Amino acid sequence: MTSMTEQNDIAAQQHDETNEHHHYAPKGIMRWLLTTNHKDIGTLYLIFAFTMFLVGGAMAMVIRAELFQPGLQLVDPNFFNQMTTVHGLIMVFGAVMPAFTGLANWMIPMMIGAPDMALPRMNNWSFWILPFAFAILLGSLFMEGGGPAFGWTFYAPLSTTYSSDSTALFVFSVHIMGISSIMGAINVIVTIVNLRAPDMSWMKLPLFVWTWLITAFLLIAVMPVLAGVVTMVLTDKYFGTSFFDAAGGGDPVMFQHIFWFFGHPEVYIMILPSFGIVSAIIPAFARKPLFGYASMVYATASIAGLSFIVWAHHMFTTGMPLFGELFFMYCTMLIAVPTGVKVFNWVATMWRGAMTFEVPMLFALAFVVLFTIGGFSGLMLAITPVDFQYHDTYFVVAHFHYVLVTGAIFSIYAAAYYWLPKWTGHMFNEFWAKMHFWCSLVSVNVLFFPMHFLGLAGMPRRIPDYALQFADVNQIVSIGGFAFGLSQLLFVVVVVKAARGGEKAAAKPWEGAEGLEWTVPSPAPYHTFETPPAVK
Amino acid sequence: MNTPTDRQTQHQQANKKLVGRLVLIVAAMFGFGFAMVPLYDVFCDITGLNGKTNSEAVSTVAVDADLSRQVRVQFVTHNAKGVAWPFQSSLPSIKVHPGVMTQVEFVVENPTNRPVIAQAIPSVSPGLGAQYLRKLECFCFNQQPLAPGERKVMPMQFYIAPDMPNDIGTLTLAYTLYDISNRGDQPANAQTAAP
């Protein structure tokens, strides 16, 4: 038994320790290098992700500039291939995933009433190894023979027999990215399982927390498989093994099986947190509780479960037997059921709600509509017999950009605008934010919608040149691309303005918003919920 | 009583335990990635899904010939990238009764002035038919050393298992010839090279 005085002493001592900590808190660059604060690390992740988004976007501009006209005019084909490859790698591992991890760092402790992430030092590590991974990857572009040019999917034997000498750098950078996301995922799971406020039961968790918990499990399940497959590529190329080399008894098709066993759950890693974000924003601006909370949780879990048994739908044209094609086709289509549950729940949440259209809501609504378009083209691709026509065409490019740009990235923008007042303490400039939204919305559709038609007409993906009949549509697509790229600079303007000043934000700037993060002042103090809050 | 420090140590213990378990999952999944390699081979061996034929000679078992139907077996030869050796089968295709032993000859020539080692890798289309094409002897079971200028006639003996489904009327057996002279490692098939 501890007496009251002792307790008070301990509390006082702890208070002193925190104060002391504040005193010796490093300033300047060291503050950011050494920080273990979840808000600092969240900010670092978000800034890093946006920087990488611009770098990967610049590469997309090179691609679209080259494709503006048929023929080869700006870059040579090998460099073009490096651009498509590194654009994909950067957007997947450098932009979307770190952005979600940044949001998780910032918001999950505040949403569950925890003082910080459970493993703050590991948190610092998992961020600070990322810049090195991408420095290595980007550095490989300047090596003799060029960087990776085999597509972000690095199929063997393109990545083994036919790849440039810098492939080892690609492999090591993917290893580091993998270690970073595994550490991030472990941190998220431990935080959610162990650090919830005492009254925060599982079915009271905000959906962003739920979707991230499930995403984190997907991450620790498949990132090690990615690490394994890149290691096999490394040893096949440099150490004479024959995992994927038929001459030595291996099988290049096996690469695709292992890769997509990672790759399909990976695409849900990039969309499940979006579902959580949209499930927070739509109720806030429709001023109604989320329709079908429990079904949202179960739908997320079933999507995650199904993601492990659909990988071969990326490989319909590899000569699979009929039974395999049918199995993977039906399983893939089955995913539309829980996804449909989600879409209908969002629509039902809005039904007869008192809706207003602030910028986070605009992005969330665009997400629902445009992600659904991406979902439908996904269903079309799931149909095995027609996939033989769509495979490796611009139809596939259109599909995954609808789910990743207007899906994942739009939801990240929605989240950024929704929580920006909480992060900066200032309201953002609504005019420029709306400009950002409308310019992005129009240009993104000019950019990606015509790609469906290019694909159906037979234009293959990942080529620097194309047949003349595709010239007009490619010009439109490229113009949309440049406009979309430029529109993203507006986001920089909005965020920098909000960080510097502006109208003071209230603790709860959005009338209908729910959740613990709105009970702390804006900007959120450096330390929040040092004592667990009460939960309704 | 739960003092804040007690709570902290409790938390730390719980965290350690959970981290330990999660790290185990990560390690297991890393292992699973590599385990997929033998699993894939076993799965394909059993089902013949990816068109792989038997890599060791089947023991000769008396099978009843099915004279009621014929199956066309086509022979296709490819050279892997960088290999420019003439490599052909004596016949483009042959019609056989299931259960009847057939021998086909393949000819390879080393036009270069250095000794080389060739390895042929077979693949059958449709993949589901692979398990019914049973080889008693095949040059693909062994590495084939070729002296400069050597021309080699290589036999391949097979029969079609009579229990092959009727809907498979044609089997295409494709061989790709690889130059493995400079490979340090032994191909998987070489284990069975003992004469």
Side-chain angles (χ1 to χ4, degrees):
Chain A
M1 274 279 243
T2 329
S3 73
M4 274 309 276
T5 29
E6 263 170 353
Q7 271 194 26
N8 284 343
D9 282 349
I10 289 162
Q13 202 184 332
Q14 282 204 326
H15 192 71
D16 279 346
E17 270 167 19
T18 22
N19 275 351
E20 218 169 325
H21 183 76
H22 280 292
H23 271 292
Y24 292 110
K27 295 267 180 284
I29 180 83
M30 291 316 274
R31 171 196 164 178
W32 296 102
L33 279 172
L34 302 179
T35 183
T36 53
N37 179 285
H38 73 101
K39 300 183 182 79
D40 281 354
I41 294 174
T43 307
L44 286 171
Y45 262 113
L46 289 168
I47 293 172
F48 178 78
F50 191 72
T51 313
M52 283 296 123
F53 178 66
L54 294 182
V55 172
M59 294 175 180
M61 295 301 105
V62 173
I63 295 169
R64 281 325 314 176
E66 175 59 48
L67 292 174
F68 191 74
Q69 285 181 342
L72 299 173
Q73 37 269 325
L74 296 175
V75 293
D76 67 281
N78 185 40
F79 188 72
F80 182 89
N81 289 345
Q82 291 171 46
M83 287 293 102
T84 53
T85 304
V86 182
H87 164 75
L89 289 167
I90 285 193
M91 289 307 197
V92 169
F93 296 105
V96 174
M97 290 169 68
F100 281 140
T101 316
L103 291 172
N105 262 296
W106 249 104
M107 303 319 299
I108 286 178
M110 284 179 17
M111 285 176 156
I112 63 174
D116 202 310
M117 297 294 277
L119 311 158
R121 278 175 206 284
M122 194 171 82
N123 207 8
N124 174 292
W125 261 101
S126 59
F127 173 75
W128 276 112
I129 60 175
L130 265 189
F132 293 94
F134 286 90
I136 293 173
L137 180 66
L138 290 170
S140 76
L141 287 173
F142 300 99
M143 308 250 326
E144 208 174 320
F150 29 71
W152 85 276
T153 51
F154 59 103
Y155 276 16
L158 293 177
S159 56
T160 54
T161 317
Y162 303 108
S163 58
S164 63
D165 292 339
S166 68
T167 305
L169 294 178
F170 155 80
V171 169
F172 294 140
S173 74
V174 172
H175 274 146
I176 302 174
M177 294 167 202
I179 291 168
S180 163
S181 6
I182 289 169
M183 291 201 293
I186 288 178
N187 214 341
V188 166
I189 296 175
V190 177
T191 306
I192 297 173
V193 173
N194 286 349
L195 292 192
R196 278 170 293 133
D199 303 330
M200 181 63 85
S201 64
W202 286 106
M203 291 314 264
K204 279 187 197 163
L205 284 182
L207 263 172
F208 180 69
V209 180
W210 256 118
T211 52
W212 237 110
L213 180 67
I214 292 165
T215 304
F217 273 105
L218 286 181
L219 277 166
I220 63 165
V222 300
M223 291 311 280
V225 177
L226 173 72
V229 76
V230 287
T231 308
M232 291 180 212
V233 165
L234 183 80
T235 59
D236 262 19
K237 185 165 174 66
Y238 297 99
F239 302 110
T241 58
S242 297
F243 287 107
F244 310 125
D245 184 359
D251 190 336
V253 176
M254 185 178 68
F255 172 88
Q256 299 182 29
H257 281 289
I258 305 177
F259 177 81
W260 287 114
F261 183 84
F262 145 79
H264 204 78
E266 167 69 17
V267 303
Y268 293 130
I269 287 166
M270 292 189 284
I271 202 67
L272 294 186
S274 304
F275 294 165
I277 292 164
V278 172
S279 303
I281 291 174
I282 290 183
F285 295 96
R287 292 166 180 78
K288 271 177 65 191
L290 183 70
F291 185 88
Y293 170 88
S295 69
M296 286 297 216
V297 174
Y298 297 130
T300 312
S302 11
I303 292 173
L306 284 170
S307 74
F308 285 101
I309 52 165
V310 297
W311 77 89
H313 67 212
H314 298 269
M315 306 167 52
F316 281 145
T317 58
T318 54
M320 240 190 293
L322 187 65
F323 172 79
E325 290 179 336
L326 288 175
F327 174 82
F328 286 110
M329 175 169 94
Y330 290 134
C331 285
T332 305
M333 290 179 164
L334 201 56
I335 293 178
V337 177
T339 315
V341 167
K342 289 185 159 295
V343 173
F344 284 116
N345 279 346
W346 291 322
V347 174
T349 305
M350 288 184 265
W351 175 251
R352 295 195 167 165
M355 289 215 287
T356 49
F357 299 95
E358 285 90 338
V359 183
M361 183 62 159
L362 291 175
F363 272 104
L365 290 175
F367 169 92
V368 174
V369 175
L370 299 177
F371 172 77
T372 305
I373 293 179
F376 278 137
S377 58
L379 268 179
M380 292 170 72
L381 286 161
I383 304 168
T384 312
V386 296
D387 179 71
F388 276 73
Q389 187 191 344
Y390 304 156
H391 185 85
D392 253 347
T393 67
Y394 262 82
F395 192 82
V396 180
V397 179
H399 159 69
F400 67 71
H401 281 98
Y402 262 90
V403 288
L404 285 176
V405 179
T406 59
I409 293 191
F410 269 34
S411 80
I412 293 166
Y413 277 139
Y417 283 118
Y418 186 55
W419 286 308
L420 203 55
K422 183 57 62 190
W423 298 338
T424 63
H426 304 292
M427 295 309 283
F428 52 82
N429 183 313
E430 185 126 13
F431 173 78
W432 286 111
K434 282 196 166 159
M435 277 297 279
H436 173 222
F437 170 74
W438 287 109
C439 290
S440 298
L441 182 76
V442 173
S443 59
V444 85
N445 283 294
V446 175
L447 167 57
F448 293 122
F449 206 80
M451 284 188 185
H452 290 113
F453 306 122
L454 283 174
L456 292 178
M459 179 167 158
R461 62 190 282 214
R462 290 173 174 160
I463 47 150
D465 189 8
Y466 49 83
L468 286 179
Q469 69 266 29
F470 304 128
D472 293 348
V473 180
N474 267 300
Q475 262 178 20
I476 295 169
V477 167
S478 284
I479 291 167
F482 302 142
F484 183 70
L486 287 175
S487 309
Q488 303 325 301
L489 300 179
L490 292 174
F491 182 69
V492 186
V493 174
V494 176
V495 173
V496 169
K497 275 170 89 107
R500 289 218 173 139
E503 188 196 328
K504 287 291 293 163
K508 196 174 96 167
W510 315 113
E511 188 196 359
E514 296 279 350
L516 287 177
E517 74 263 35
W518 307 112
T519 62
V520 300
S522 299
Y526 200 58
H527 296 284
T528 41
F529 298 129
E530 278 168 315
T531 48
V535 181
K536 275 186 285 180
Chain B
M1 283 300 283
N2 259 352
T3 64
T5 22
D6 278 349
R7 252 205 320 270
Q8 246 180 354
T9 39
Q10 270 173 13
H11 266 314
Q12 270 167 5
Q13 274 167 355
N15 289 355
K16 260 189 198 156
K17 212 165 133 191
L18 187 55
V19 170
R21 285 180 189 167
L22 295 173
V23 169
L24 267 184
I25 299 181
V26 170
M29 289 308 293
F30 186 71
F32 177 74
F34 284 89
M36 279 170 90
V37 177
L39 281 176
Y40 178 82
D41 284 341
V42 169
F43 188 75
C44 293
D45 263 0
I46 295 170
T47 57
L49 279 187
N50 65 347
K52 272 191 185 159
T53 54
N54 51 309
S55 56
E56 294 175 41
V58 293
S59 50
T60 333
V61 274
V63 280
D64 293 329
D66 175 3
L67 298 177
S68 66
R69 62 172 169 146
Q70 281 194 314
V71 178
R72 178 178 290 280
V73 183
Q74 299 174 323
F75 304 102
V76 180
T77 54
H78 301 289
N79 285 343
K81 198 189 171 200
V83 178
W85 313 330
F87 170 49
Q88 266 178 346
S89 76
S90 54
L91 300 168
S93 72
I94 188 171
K95 279 195 157 182
V96 294
H97 293 291
V100 176
M101 201 76 60
T102 312
Q103 174 158 340
V104 183
E105 257 116 39
F106 285 72
V107 183
V108 66
E109 205 181 317
N110 175 12
T112 65
N113 53 9
R114 59 188 172 92
V116 296
I117 304 173
Q119 170 76 54
I121 302 290
S123 173
V124 170
S125 224
L128 283 178
Q131 56 179 316
Y132 303 104
L133 191 136
R134 311 242 162 104
K135 291 189 277 191
L136 290 98
E137 194 190 338
C138 180
F139 52 94
C140 62
F141 295 162
N142 306 331
Q143 301 180 356
Q144 301 290 342
L146 297 169
E150 183 182 352
R151 183 173 181 275
K152 199 171 193 175
V153 178
M154 305 179 295
M156 195 275 283
Q157 277 188 341
F158 72 97
Y159 69 90
I160 304 289
D163 56 343
M164 186 170 80
N166 281 330
D167 59 339
I168 302 181
T170 305
L171 285 177
T172 307
L173 173 58
Y175 283 103
T176 308
L177 196 69
Y178 289 90
D179 177 2
I180 58 165
S181 319
N182 299 324
R183 288 184 71 90
D185 61 325
Q186 294 295 303
N189 289 352
Q191 299 150 5
T192 57

